[in-house]
Amino acid sequence: MKEDILHNLAVINERIKKACEQSGRNIDDVKLLLATKTVSPDRIKIALENGQTLIAENKVQELKEKYEDLKNIPHENHFIGHLQTNKIKDILKYDVTCVQSLDRLELAEKLHQRLLAENRTMDVLIQINTSDEESKFGADPDEAIELIRKIAGYSTLKIKGLMTIGLFSAETDKVRACFKILKNLQQEIIRENIPNVEMKELSMGMSGDMETAVEEGATIVRVGTAVFGARSYPDSYYWNEGKANNKD
């Protein structure tokens, strides 16, 4: 188990390095985030004890279940799944440092109120639906700047950039188009110079498309299966992308 995970990490880091070299980027500008959905604490520990520092969960329940096993190992924990408003208290309780999936004003307002009550702040990324799929969460790119202006008014929320889930497609050009939308939107937001908004982070790209994402400007790539192995269910189950099944 350990040998497999360490080998896979070496392969992924080499893929990131090559993608950076080919696109003229500094490898230090791209962070590897380990998506740990369904991964046991023992397997996560192997990665954390061998140089990895950034992990993320999609489901609050898994965050809770693994917290005690992992809390004493130095690492940073992000949340990358669809966040229901009634789970906000758990996100704060279990030491999440960044919510990458902030996609609507109602969630921002309730997160802000909770943070105010606890005298805390939190980093957030704004999730954008760049693939124009009805099943995907995320703000419409055309409405993103107005949403960000409103969210920026909440003093507890520190907007650090954008996140997207690219099109699940074997056609690289179609996937690349999603990442280009995010990069272009980032540049547009930077030009708007909105107070309380940073646009340093672009979280995009996963196991199958991370080279394309790096070429298009990703600063965070989210990798799970390529490090920890295949899961028992399709990605759509863990990403919780079925809107009909989610009620805030």
Side-chain angles (χ1 to χ4, degrees):
M1 177 172 76
K2 180 177 180 179
E3 291 76 12
D4 288 344
I5 291 172
L6 295 185
H7 169 75
N8 293 343
L9 280 169
V11 169
I12 290 296
N13 282 308
E14 184 62 24
R15 284 174 62 187
I16 294 172
K17 180 183 174 186
K18 284 185 177 177
C20 286
E21 288 172 352
Q22 290 172 0
S23 53
R25 297 188 60 199
N26 186 332
I27 192 169
D28 293 334
D29 293 337
V30 181
K31 295 186 281 288
L32 172 59
L33 179 152
L34 299 180
T36 51
K37 51 194 175 188
T38 77
V39 180
S40 70
D42 286 345
R43 295 173 76 83
I44 298 169
K45 281 179 185 177
I46 292 169
L48 293 179
E49 289 167 352
N50 287 275
Q52 301 307 303
T53 58
L54 182 58
I55 65 174
E57 290 291 348
N58 286 70
K59 291 183 179 288
V60 172
Q61 186 59 36
E62 285 199 59
L63 188 66
K64 289 183 185 179
E65 290 168 356
K66 301 172 193 178
Y67 178 73
E68 286 297 325
D69 287 318
L70 300 176
K71 70 177 183 179
N72 293 324
I73 304 174
H75 68 281
E76 187 176 346
N77 206 338
H78 288 195
F79 190 78
I80 54 177
H82 179 66
L83 180 57
Q84 295 170 288
T85 53
N86 64 351
K87 301 291 186 183
I88 287 172
K89 61 183 182 300
D90 293 321
I91 290 291
L92 301 186
K93 183 176 179 181
Y94 295 105
D95 296 341
V96 168
T97 60
C98 178
V99 173
Q100 292 200 10
S101 48
L102 183 54
D103 62 352
R104 59 205 189 279
L105 195 60
E106 179 201 18
L107 177 60
E109 183 177 0
K110 292 189 176 180
L111 184 54
H112 169 66
Q113 293 299 336
R114 189 83 193 190
L115 287 163
L116 266 185
E118 298 189 18
N119 195 27
R120 294 170 61 180
T121 63
M122 178 171 280
D123 291 350
V124 296
L125 303 186
I126 308 302
Q127 183 176 351
I128 307 296
N129 183 350
T130 56
S131 61
D132 197 28
E133 294 172 278
E134 282 292 325
S135 61
K136 289 256 178 78
F137 291 105
D140 185 305
D142 293 334
E143 299 170 359
I145 291 179
E146 185 59 33
L147 176 65
I148 287 169
R149 284 189 190 282
K150 291 176 179 175
I151 293 175
Y154 295 123
S155 59
T156 63
L157 303 179
K158 305 302 179 185
I159 301 173
K160 299 296 183 181
L162 307 173
M163 183 271 260
T164 198
I165 301 167
L167 189 70
F168 291 126
S169 172
E171 297 181 57
T172 302
D173 287 349
K174 290 184 177 179
V175 179
R176 188 182 298 279
C178 295
F179 299 151
K180 281 184 178 294
I181 287 171
L182 203 71
K183 179 64 177 180
N184 290 338
L185 182 58
Q186 177 203 38
Q187 296 305 305
E188 195 176 342
I189 294 165
I190 288 171
R191 288 192 294 272
E192 291 289 321
N193 198 25
I194 304 167
N196 196 32
V197 174
E198 289 182 35
M199 276 289 129
K200 292 181 179 177
E201 305 292 0
L202 286 182
S203 176
M204 58 188 191
M206 295 189 277
S207 299
D209 56 19
M210 65 180 189
E211 283 89 352
T212 305
V214 169
E215 289 166 9
E216 296 303 327
T219 64
I220 300 171
V221 291
R222 308 181 303 269
V223 178
T225 55
V227 171
F228 297 113
R231 305 185 189 97
S232 304
Y233 297 93
D235 252 6
S236 56
Y237 172 84
Y238 302 110
W239 280 105
N240 208 7
E241 289 295 310
K243 286 186 177 180
N245 297 324
N246 285 281
K247 294 184 175 66
D248 270 350

